[in-house]
Amino acid sequence: MKESEIRPKKLFEEYLYLSKKDAESFDNKSFESINCVSCDSPLAKLKYKKDGFKYNICESCGTLFCNPRPSLETLNTFYKNSASAKFWFEEFLPKVEESRREKIFKKKAIQLFELIDEKKINISNLCDVGAGSGIFIEEMKKIKNDISYFAIEPGEVSSKIIASKGFSVLQKSVEYSKEWSNKFDFVVSLEVLEHVNKPITFVESINSLLKKDGYCLITTLGYEGFDILTLEEDSNSISPPHHLNFLSIKGFELLFKRAGFSEVHVMTPGVLDVDIVLNSGKSTEFLRILKLRGDSVIKEFQEFLIKNKLSSHVWVLAKK
Ligand SMILES: [Zn+2]
C-alpha cells in the first residue's frame, strides 16, 4: 500500500491547510495543563511547538502528548463546527471511502480475525467504538457472519448510516455509553485514541464495555515509529488539535494496565512509515541511499520496523 492511495495528495494538502488555520485560531489561554496521559507523571519536557500548540515528552515513559490542551468541551465544539473537521468528514472521507475500504478496512478485518484465531479468543459479539459510517463492521461481517456486530458512534449523520445498514448503534461517545456495560466479548476502536482529550477515561470506558476476560483491539498512532521519529514536528501526523496523544510502547502498556486490563500486547503492523518519509521531501544521506537501493530493500526495511515495534501505526490487544 502507498500513502497516495489512501490520502490523495491534493485533497490531503487542502485538509492540512484548513487544519493549520483551525489550530492557529484556538485561544490557548483556556488550555488545561495535564500530567502524562500514559503514566500520570508530572515530569515532562517541551519537545515540539506546532501551530500554536505544545507537545511534551514524558521523562518517565517517553510518551509524547499535547500539553496544555483544549478542554473536552472545546474539542467537542471543534469536531462539530471547524472547517478542517467538516472537510475531513464531508469531502475527504466520502471521496476516499471505497479505496480505504479495500486498502485499509478489508485488510484490517482479515488481520483482526487472524489475531483472534491465533490467540484462541472466542467471541459471540463485537462492538466498534467510533465506527464512522460502519465500513469496518461491514468488512468484518463479510469474513465472520456468525457473531453479532454493534457500533458506538457519536456523529449524527454517521450513526444514521450505520443504522441504515442494519446494525445496532448507540449515538454517543464511549465515555457516556454505560447502558452497554459488561456486554461485549470484543471491542475494537480504530484511530480514535490519538484524538481524545483524556486517554485514561477513554480506555477505562472501553474496559467497562467488556465482559470479564473480554478483549479489545485499539489501533492508533504511536510516538516510536520511523516516520515520526525521522520527520519530528514536520510529520503530518503531528497535527493539532486533531492528534493529541502519541504514546511510547511502554506508555501503551502503562495506560492499559492503569485502566484495568490484565494483559497488554503492543504491536506495530504499520506499512506506510518508509513511504511517508520518502515522499516527505526530507533529505538525508541515509534516505538518499535507501531510495537508490530500490523497492525490495525498502520493503524489507518496513518489515524490520514492524517486527521491532518501530512503526508509528500501533495495535494494542488487551484482555480485561
Ligand atoms: Zn509517562
Side-chain angles (χ1 to χ4, degrees), residues 4-15:
S4 56
E5 292 169 330
I6 56 162
R7 293 196 276 258
K9 200 162 188 271
K10 237 185 127 199
L11 216 53
F12 193 51
E13 274 170 2
E14 188 169 353
Y15 164 72

Side-chain angles (χ1 to χ4, degrees), residues 97 100-101 104-113 126-143 149 162 165 167 186-190 217 219 315:
E97 196 168 34
R100 286 168 87 91
R101 179 195 290 279
I104 300 180
F105 295 109
K106 202 171 172 175
K107 208 175 137 219
K108 273 192 180 170
I110 294 168
Q111 276 178 297
L112 170 63
F113 285 114
L126 183 155
C127 180
D128 186 355
V129 168
S133 53
I135 295 181
F136 191 51
I137 44 178
E138 284 181 299
E139 290 304 313
M140 287 188 288
K141 195 164 189 250
K142 283 182 197 165
I143 297 172
Y149 293 93
I162 298 173
K165 292 174 175 173
F167 297 106
F186 207 101
V187 171
V188 295
S189 179
L190 309 186
L217 177 78
T219 76
W315 283 33

Side-chain angles (χ1 to χ4, degrees), residues 36 38-41 58 60-63:
C36 170
S38 302
C39 73
D40 203 32
S41 165
C58 172
S60 173
C61 76
T63 283

